[in-house]
Amino acid sequence: MFSIKSALAKPFAFIIKKSVLKWANNPIETQHKVFENLIAVAKQTQFGKDHDFSSIKTHADFVSRVPVRDYEDLKPYVERVVAGEHDILWKGKPIYFAKTSGTTSGAKYIPITKESMPTHIEAARNAILMYIAETGNADFVDGKMIFLQGSPVLNEKNGVQLGRLSGIVAHFVPKYLQKNRMPSWETNCIEDWETKVEAIVTETLPENMTVISGIPSWVQMYFEKINQRTGKKVGDVFKNFNLFIFGGVNYEPYRAKFESLIGRKVDSIELYPASEGFFAYQDQQKEKGMLLQLNSGIFYEFIKADEFFDENPKRITIKDVQLHTNYVMIISSTAGLWAYNIGDTVQFTSLKPYRVIVSGRIKHFISAFGEHVIGKEVEQALKEAVAGTTVQVSEFTVAPEINPKSGLPYHEWFIEFENQPENLDQLAEKIESSLQAQNSYYVDLIVGKVLQPLKITVVKKNGFQDYMKSIGKLGGQNKIPRLSNDRKIADALIAKNLTN
């Protein structure tokens, strides 16, 4: 059946691909223009005056005048913006605040401006168009698409709209996609996550779903409820479902479980959106990593993760980054964030063009003994350990056990299985072997008898969901940290009787 919409999508995809390649193939020049524009526009803001933007000509000038800050450090400026003041971090006032739940500071209010908002929308659109340009597959644009997200209901604070990023973005769905988009506005506004997912299942079951997107852990919940409701695989219920779009966490730990729930393989596109900006998206199906968005009003700096907590760590730009090195990503943007530490660590998988993977969080790591274990390493270790087996993992997190009842300290892995292995000790040995192969610090601590090999604690079915529900963070953009440097989550899982 001929479709005007899918027929038009292909030439449009090639136009967008050409424009993307133009800046991607001129990365240094592109970033320099972004930097110059940011400084020029913000000279007359309060932040610009306080940091002598008028005299900034080079990156070295910027480094000497603008220190790296996290939200807590930037909070005095943000509070003035939230109070309704103009020209504080960026010209004028923001058009939105993306409200996020901070770990130490309570609610965080991330400004979104009229200059920064379009970059969120364009990057999400371009990710799909780059997929169409590469694969030639555009049939899915005629089917129904779903994004499992937070409520689009917005509040107001001193004349500025306030809500979750995914809820804000819901107001910007292009007109040509509005008829295809699910769930309905009414269902999307349901606050309770479990009630919302049940309603989404009811709404989508009769539809021709072709694209499904969201954070993997919450999409998994949606898929499981479809299985329970119909007794069928998701791929049999939605015969034309062939594209999964995800972000927020690494898909690899979920891939085997998803393929089992769907009943077949489907293409996937990885996104790297955050309240602070849309940083990257997967531009090639066969290439590892996501294309860093160098033309989206964001100027990037990088600090080696193992130097980040030094007295005066070196800040570099994209021209000096190296492959496969763990960097803390620092951003300055048209949203009025300046040398801002978003908390993520990334690694470059390609320098022509610049592609990244998210390797973890600078706060989400285990280094209770100097081992510097990061998210990417534990995810890789688990992936290798279950490869070629029937073992399927639903969710997991890792914490240090510093004061065991007997023996040396160790890393405790809390794993919720879909298919549990017959021999947990054997699985633990495989994970241990992979982790040691990846991390020399960890090996040294094992060999030096500072640590003993890891141990696995089994989490009950739906235990992680029950934990997230108990702390009011079920659904939306919330996710379990892969790693903690303390036992807050570990002790809660045990205290709530969510482990076997």
Side-chain angles (χ1 to χ4, degrees), residues 196-212:
K196 182 173 182 170
V197 174
E198 289 288 2
I200 290 172
V201 171
T202 300
E203 264 189 16
T204 54
L205 274 179
E207 301 291 345
N208 175 31
M209 301 302 301
T210 56
V211 178
I212 295 172

Side-chain angles (χ1 to χ4, degrees), residues 170-392:
H171 291 259
F172 288 85
V173 176
K175 286 185 178 179
Y176 59 85
L177 286 181
Q178 284 176 0
K179 288 183 179 179
N180 300 61
R181 184 177 178 274
M182 298 195 77
S184 65
W185 188 266
E186 294 73 22
T187 295
N188 217 11
C189 291
I190 297 171
E191 288 292 343
D192 180 74
W193 187 253
E194 289 177 296
T195 305
K196 182 173 182 170
V197 174
E198 289 288 2
I200 290 172
V201 171
T202 300
E203 264 189 16
T204 54
L205 274 179
E207 301 291 345
N208 175 31
M209 301 302 301
T210 56
V211 178
I212 295 172
S213 61
I215 292 175
S217 50
W218 306 123
V219 176
Q220 178 178 314
M221 184 177 175
Y222 166 64
F223 284 172
E224 287 172 341
K225 290 189 180 296
I226 287 174
N227 282 170
Q228 291 164 10
R229 190 89 67 92
T230 66
K232 295 179 181 178
K233 299 283 188 183
V234 173
D236 292 329
V237 175
F238 303 132
K239 296 188 185 299
N240 295 316
F241 165 48
N242 282 302
L243 183 59
F244 173 50
I245 303 174
F246 68 95
V249 298
N250 185 359
Y251 181 41
E252 287 309 318
Y254 299 93
R255 190 176 292 275
K257 177 70 186 295
F258 268 53
E259 288 178 0
S260 173
L261 287 167
I262 297 167
R264 53 184 164 80
K265 291 186 178 182
V266 298
D267 284 350
S268 61
I269 302 174
E270 183 174 9
L271 310 178
Y272 184 10
S275 300
E276 296 87 351
F278 201 124
F279 303 124
Y281 59 76
Q282 182 180 352
D283 65 315
Q284 292 284 315
Q285 286 290 299
K286 294 179 182 178
E287 295 290 337
K288 188 177 182 184
M290 296 172 283
L291 185 69
L292 192 63
Q293 296 300 285
L294 304 176
N295 194 37
S296 294
I298 302 168
F299 177 70
Y300 299 91
E301 297 174 275
F302 303 92
I303 299 172
K304 287 184 178 179
D306 56 8
E307 298 174 2
F308 183 73
F309 295 105
D310 292 354
E311 179 88 20
N312 190 25
K314 186 176 182 181
R315 289 155 63 178
I316 61 175
T317 61
I318 54 163
K319 69 183 178 62
D320 295 317
V321 296
Q322 300 171 332
L323 293 173
H324 313 306
T325 300
N326 210 38
Y327 292 107
V328 179
M329 192 164 82
I330 309 298
I331 67 156
S332 299
S333 77
T334 51
L337 300 174
W338 299 103
Y340 186 85
N341 172 21
I342 63 170
D344 287 345
T345 58
V346 300
Q347 291 183 7
F348 284 86
T349 59
S350 165
L351 303 182
K352 287 185 178 181
Y354 285 92
R355 293 193 182 98
V356 295
I357 57 169
V358 181
S359 53
R361 298 279 292 169
I362 194 65
K363 291 182 179 177
H364 293 168
F365 62 95
I366 298 182
S367 200
F369 312 93
E371 60 272 45
H372 305 298
V373 171
I374 62 173
K376 178 178 177 291
E377 291 168 347
V378 296
E379 290 178 337
Q380 181 66 24
L382 187 59
K383 178 186 175 184
E384 290 179 6
V386 302
T389 73
T390 58
V391 176
Q392 290 181 6

Side-chain angles (χ1 to χ4, degrees), residues 432-451:
E432 179 74 23
S433 176
S434 176
L435 199 54
Q436 288 191 26
Q438 295 180 75
N439 189 309
S440 59
Y441 298 107
Y442 183 72
V443 175
D444 290 343
L445 292 168
I446 296 288
V447 173
K449 303 295 183 188
V450 176
L451 293 177

Side-chain angles (χ1 to χ4, degrees), residues 28-29 52 62 145 153 190 286 290 322 327 365 464:
I28 311 302
E29 181 187 347
D52 194 17
F62 183 73
M145 307 177 188
V153 176
I190 297 171
K286 294 179 182 178
M290 296 172 283
Q322 300 171 332
Y327 292 107
F365 62 95
F464 281 106

Side-chain angles (χ1 to χ4, degrees), residues 71-225:
Y71 186 81
E72 283 299 302
D73 298 323
L74 200 65
K75 199 172 181 181
Y77 287 100
V78 175
E79 285 178 338
R80 292 180 64 180
V81 179
V82 173
E85 291 190 49
H86 291 69
D87 302 322
I88 301 300
L89 287 165
W90 191 251
K91 63 179 182 180
K93 289 174 65 174
I95 54 173
Y96 296 101
F97 292 116
K99 187 179 180 182
T100 68
S101 51
T103 51
T104 57
S105 55
K108 295 198 295 186
Y109 297 92
I110 306 298
I112 298 176
T113 65
K114 71 177 189 296
E115 290 84 5
S116 69
M117 187 68 230
T119 65
H120 288 269
I121 309 308
E122 286 171 13
R125 179 202 70 183
N126 290 357
I128 295 174
L129 291 170
M130 291 291 277
Y131 170 81
I132 292 173
E134 180 190 8
T135 65
N137 172 23
D139 293 343
F140 63 85
V141 302
D142 296 313
K144 296 289 187 178
M145 307 177 188
I146 189 171
F147 185 78
L148 293 176
Q149 59 189 177
S151 170
V153 176
L154 303 179
N155 300 311
E156 193 174 287
K157 202 169 184 74
N158 295 319
V160 178
Q161 296 280 290
L162 167 71
R164 300 282 181 182
L165 176 66
S166 62
I168 292 169
V169 170
H171 291 259
F172 288 85
V173 176
K175 286 185 178 179
Y176 59 85
L177 286 181
Q178 284 176 0
K179 288 183 179 179
N180 300 61
R181 184 177 178 274
M182 298 195 77
S184 65
W185 188 266
E186 294 73 22
T187 295
N188 217 11
C189 291
I190 297 171
E191 288 292 343
D192 180 74
W193 187 253
E194 289 177 296
T195 305
K196 182 173 182 170
V197 174
E198 289 288 2
I200 290 172
V201 171
T202 300
E203 264 189 16
T204 54
L205 274 179
E207 301 291 345
N208 175 31
M209 301 302 301
T210 56
V211 178
I212 295 172
S213 61
I215 292 175
S217 50
W218 306 123
V219 176
Q220 178 178 314
M221 184 177 175
Y222 166 64
F223 284 172
E224 287 172 341
K225 290 189 180 296

